Amino acid sequence: MDSIKLHYDVSGNDFTCAGEASGKIKRELKGLGFPNDIIRNVAIAVYEGEINMVIHAGGGVIDVEITPECISLDLIDEGPGIPDISLAMKEGFSTAPENVRQLGFGAGMGLPNIKKYTDEMVIDSEVGVGTTIHLKVFVK
Amino acid sequence: MTVKDFAQSADLKFICNEALASERNIDGCYCGDLLSWVMSKAKENNLWLTVMGNINSIGVAVLTDVACIILTENAPLDDNAREKADSNGVIILTTDKTSYEVAAQYSKLQ
Ligand SMILES: Nc1ncnc2c1ncn2[C@@H]1O[C@H](COP(=O)(O)OP(=O)(O)O)[C@@H](O)[C@H]1O
Ligand SMILES: [Mg+2]
């Protein structure tokens, strides 16, 4: 099969829409017959990425490329950027405001979860410019 | 054990998708309110016990494929969350018991 390319917009500051892209990607992968654990890993990583775009970056876009061997994802935003990436990757580190915590987010588990559920994770971020997270999940 | 069976024995009330409950099997149980945490730890077909009844809880339930959400201590379900649960086939129940009490009940029936 040729690679399949998908594109999703994540709107900023709208919690009611967060989870939409991950839900759609999940259904897409199900339809293509990928194994459940692979689908779950991708869905969790995308969900955390979406939530981060909403909380921290005012929205963004997600580009997906699917081949039988690998699911590649680019999570792209033009938000404030991440000043210290290794600090941001620490479990429990969060700059999320109180109103976000009351919704059950802001545990500082998002980026560590993304790392845990993907095979490759590269963060490109520049303060004042934006953040792009490149992810790969291999289908073993 | 199905969600229907457990609802009866633990005296839980359905708020969404009762019709799906006799087909949905339960395997294990997870308690938690921090959504990212639940997202990474809850397993497929778990009972999920929480006080978090907002729309993002529904997203988490869909993505983790838990058997159902049980809102404990009479925690409220937001209207937009109810709509999303209905359209996504997420089973939601409610009880005045604590998460601990419901989990203990499940453990007894194991
Ligand atoms: N897309 C992003 N743009 C700007 N900052 C981000 C982005 N994603 C994550 N961060 C920063 O990294 C921190 C840790 O992220 P994460 O592990 O997802 O935890 P949480 O979202 O719960 O705060 C955030 O609190 C925020 O400061
Ligand atoms: Mg996060």
Side-chain angles (χ1 to χ4, degrees):
Chain A
M1 119 184 151
D2 288 338
S3 79
I4 295 172
K5 293 198 171 82
L6 305 167
H7 176 88
Y8 301 94
D9 292 312
V10 179
S11 65
N13 293 315
D14 187 356
F15 272 101
T16 59
C17 292
E20 229 148 71
S22 34
K24 284 182 188 154
I25 292 168
K26 182 179 173 177
R27 277 193 290 279
E28 192 78 33
L29 295 174
K30 264 217 165 103
L32 290 167
F34 281 94
N36 277 338
D37 56 329
I38 297 289
I39 295 173
R40 182 187 156 92
N41 292 353
V42 171
I44 291 175
V46 175
Y47 186 76
E48 292 290 1
E50 262 184 277
I51 293 288
N52 279 353
M53 284 180 188
V54 177
I55 302 177
H56 306 294
V61 298
I62 300 175
D63 284 312
V64 189
E65 186 173 358
I66 304 168
T67 69
E69 296 79 34
C70 178
I71 297 144
S72 309
L73 305 141
D74 288 329
L75 313 175
I76 305 158
D77 70 61
E78 295 175 353
I82 304 175
D84 184 340
I85 292 175
S86 60
L87 184 60
M89 286 298 298
K90 287 215 168 79
E91 274 192 22
F93 176 83
S94 175
T95 60
E98 183 55 33
N99 65 326
V100 166
R101 285 172 205 264
Q102 276 164 7
L103 292 169
F105 293 105
M109 293 284 290
L111 294 176
N113 275 351
I114 295 175
K115 172 107 190 144
K116 178 169 160 198
Y117 288 102
T118 56
D119 296 304
E120 278 181 31
M121 174 183 191
V122 178
I123 302 179
D124 286 329
S125 190
E126 197 176 327
V127 173
V129 177
T131 301
T132 296
I133 304 181
H134 307 275
L135 302 172
K136 280 191 201 305
V137 174
F138 296 114
V139 184
K140 279 139 290 205
Chain B
M1 191 182 357
T2 66
V3 172
K4 185 97 190 176
D5 299 334
F6 183 66
Q8 268 158 11
S9 59
D11 199 19
L12 311 173
K13 263 205 339 267
F14 282 96
I15 3 186
C16 292
N17 290 303
E18 178 170 7
L20 303 176
S22 53
E23 318 257 289
R24 192 71 205 237
N25 284 308
I26 304 168
D27 179 13
C29 176
Y30 190 84
C31 305
D33 305 314
L34 281 174
L35 299 184
S36 287
W37 208 284
V38 175
M39 188 73 165
S40 96
K41 306 283 168 97
K43 303 219 164 61
E44 200 176 337
N45 299 325
N46 278 181
L47 294 171
W48 174 25
L49 313 186
T50 184
V51 294
M52 208 48 101
N54 65 48
I55 191 160
N56 303 110
S57 309
I58 313 304
V60 169
V62 170
L63 292 172
T64 53
D65 271 328
V66 292
C68 62
I69 300 175
I70 301 175
L71 291 171
T72 54
E73 302 187 54
N74 289 323
L77 180 66
D78 295 348
D79 289 339
N80 59 0
R82 181 190 300 257
E83 273 165 40
K84 188 162 176 181
D86 282 334
S87 60
N88 283 277
V90 175
I91 304 170
I92 304 185
L93 304 98
T94 177
T95 177
D96 57 359
K97 298 191 183 91
T98 64
S99 292
Y100 168 72
E101 289 165 328
V102 178
Q105 175 79 11
Y106 175 69
S107 169
K108 246 192 265 169
L109 295 171
Q110 281 281 99

